[in-house]
Amino acid sequence: MTIRKTASDYSRSHEPIVWGLFSAGGVIVAFFIPALILLTSLLVQVGIADEAVLSFDRVQSFAQAWWGKLFILAVIALSLYHTVHRIHHGLHDVHIHIPDSLAIIIFYGGATVLSCLVFVWLLAIGW
Amino acid sequence: MTDMTMKVRVQRYRPEVDEQPWMQEFDVPYTEDTSVLEAIQFIKDELEPSLSFRWSCRMAICGSCGYMVNGEPKLGCKTFLRDYKDLEIASLENFPIERDLVADLNGFIEKLETIKPYIIRENEKDLDTSEPITEAFTQTPAQLSKYKQFSQCINCGLCYAACPQFGRNPEFLGPAALALAFRYNSDNRDQGSKERIPFLNAEEGVWSCTFVGYCSEVCPKSVDPAAAINQGKALSAADYGLNLISLAKKD
């Protein structure tokens, strides 16, 4: 015999933070990454787009513009958060259990460190 | 054509004599339209009268005859022998076994009740119940379509037998209960979302789901609980944000 639970038996999960990053990263991975692969690794190489599109000067000026920096940071950081979230829950699904605190440090901590490195690098290459 | 027979293995468990569940094999005659439920009924009527199982309507609306059929959660009345070479029928996965094919679904029913699956009105308590209510709450087809799909659930429990997260953590409110919460939250006549959001917000609520999606695959009524849960995640995430800036009521 169990008693029906009420709202006070439940406490709020903090999962929405990582899920929010995961969702935003999902959009990036689904929509922007394929376009970026096409743009940087296919169109120029097979001769559809002009080589000048990917010239150093052009790419550098993109990476030195504030909106370019924002785009690069968003694409890399959100893809990272998306990926580690998938790995974290994927491991749970295949019955490899990592304690939550350790998982936070390894996965989300790792993504944060790499994102910070990207941020520092974006500042370092100047404006 | 009654000359076809199939080997049917049925799970037996009689708690007073059996240490653990075991499989008993029967030869069952069948035709093109013999359902799994009819096969078990044949076994009970003609071969093994002590076999226990739940069933009622025979037409996929009562939700009583959920079994594992060759390892997949199925309604016995909606699954046919013609689609199989041999059969293994067991009680629903992830639930305790009461007897033979009867699973103990009490925990599941309690979860359905937990999320307040009824229309809640804000001024309900102030309503004068001495007078008959003459007011009607109108609903447009567009408003109905927002939740109609999620109201088709027959509480058969197949989605819980399918859900690996419920299998790992029985405290998880699970697909049907969360789909039901979403159904009432999406009903324009309802004003009780605030009372239900704490259930969604919990780890045992929408956040135990990793969107495996098998619940929606096995659902015999195409309710798509996985979609409901993941839209519930968006609701819960929004509530989390609002709560951070103290706009939402504290739990």
Side-chain angles (χ1 to χ4, degrees), chain A residues 3 15-16 26 30 32 45-46 65 86 91 100 104 122:
Chain A
I3 299 158
E15 189 78 3
F32 288 92
Q45 286 74 0
V46 297
R86 250 191 208 291
L91 286 175
D100 275 351
I104 289 169
L122 285 169

Coordinates of all heavy atoms in Angstrom, one line a residue, chain A residues 3 15-16 26 30 32 45-46 65 86 91 100 104 122:
Chain A
I3 N 1.0 5.6 -0.6 CA 0.1 6.8 -0.6 C 0.4 7.7 -1.8 O 1.6 7.8 -2.2 CB 0.4 7.6 0.7 CG1 0.0 6.6 1.9 CG2 -0.4 8.8 0.8 CD1 0.7 7.0 3.2
E15 N 18.1 20.2 -14.2 CA 18.3 19.8 -15.5 C 18.0 20.8 -16.6 O 18.7 20.8 -17.6 CB 17.5 18.5 -15.8 CG 17.8 17.8 -17.1 CD 19.1 16.9 -17.1 OE1 19.7 16.9 -16.0 OE2 19.4 16.4 -18.1
P16 N 17.0 21.7 -16.4 CA 16.7 22.7 -17.5 C 18.0 23.5 -17.9 O 18.0 23.9 -19.1 CB 15.7 23.6 -16.8 CG 15.0 22.7 -15.9 CD 16.0 21.8 -15.3
G26 N 21.5 21.7 -30.2 CA 20.9 20.8 -31.1 C 20.5 21.5 -32.4 O 20.7 21.0 -33.5
A30 N 22.2 20.7 -35.9 CA 21.3 20.2 -37.0 C 21.3 21.2 -38.2 O 21.2 20.8 -39.4 CB 19.9 20.1 -36.5
F32 N 23.3 24.5 -38.6 CA 24.5 25.3 -38.9 C 25.7 24.4 -39.3 O 26.4 24.7 -40.3 CB 24.9 26.3 -37.8 CG 23.9 27.4 -37.7 CD1 22.9 27.3 -36.8 CD2 24.1 28.6 -38.5 CE1 22.0 28.4 -36.7 CE2 23.2 29.6 -38.4 CZ 22.2 29.6 -37.5
Q45 N 36.1 23.2 -52.5 CA 37.0 22.1 -53.0 C 36.5 21.4 -54.3 O 37.3 21.0 -55.1 CB 37.1 21.0 -51.9 CG 37.9 21.4 -50.7 CD 37.3 22.4 -49.8 OE1 36.2 22.9 -50.0 NE2 38.0 22.8 -48.7
V46 N 35.2 21.4 -54.5 CA 34.8 20.8 -55.8 C 34.6 21.8 -56.8 O 34.1 21.5 -57.9 CB 33.4 20.0 -55.6 CG1 33.6 18.8 -54.6 CG2 32.3 20.9 -55.1
A65 N 35.5 40.4 -36.6 CA 34.3 41.2 -36.4 C 33.6 40.7 -35.1 O 33.6 39.5 -34.8 CB 33.4 41.1 -37.6
R86 N 24.6 14.6 -24.7 CA 24.3 13.4 -25.3 C 25.1 12.2 -24.8 O 24.6 11.1 -24.5 CB 24.5 13.5 -26.8 CG 23.2 13.5 -27.6 CD 23.5 13.4 -29.1 NE 22.4 14.1 -29.8 CZ 21.1 13.6 -29.8 NH1 20.8 12.5 -29.2 NH2 20.2 14.3 -30.5
L91 N 25.4 7.3 -22.0 CA 26.1 6.4 -21.0 C 25.0 5.8 -20.1 O 25.0 4.6 -19.8 CB 27.2 7.1 -20.3 CG 28.5 7.4 -21.1 CD1 29.4 8.2 -20.2 CD2 29.1 6.1 -21.5
D100 N 26.6 11.7 -10.5 CA 26.2 13.0 -11.0 C 27.3 14.1 -10.9 O 27.6 14.8 -11.8 CB 24.9 13.5 -10.4 CG 23.7 12.9 -11.1 OD1 23.9 12.3 -12.2 OD2 22.6 13.1 -10.6
I104 N 29.1 16.0 -13.9 CA 29.0 17.5 -14.1 C 30.4 18.0 -14.4 O 30.7 18.8 -15.3 CB 28.4 18.1 -12.9 CG1 26.9 17.8 -12.8 CG2 28.6 19.7 -12.9 CD1 26.2 18.2 -11.6
L122 N 39.4 33.9 -29.2 CA 38.7 34.9 -30.0 C 39.1 36.3 -29.6 O 39.2 37.2 -30.5 CB 37.2 34.7 -29.9 CG 36.6 33.6 -30.7 CD1 35.1 33.3 -30.2 CD2 36.7 33.8 -32.2

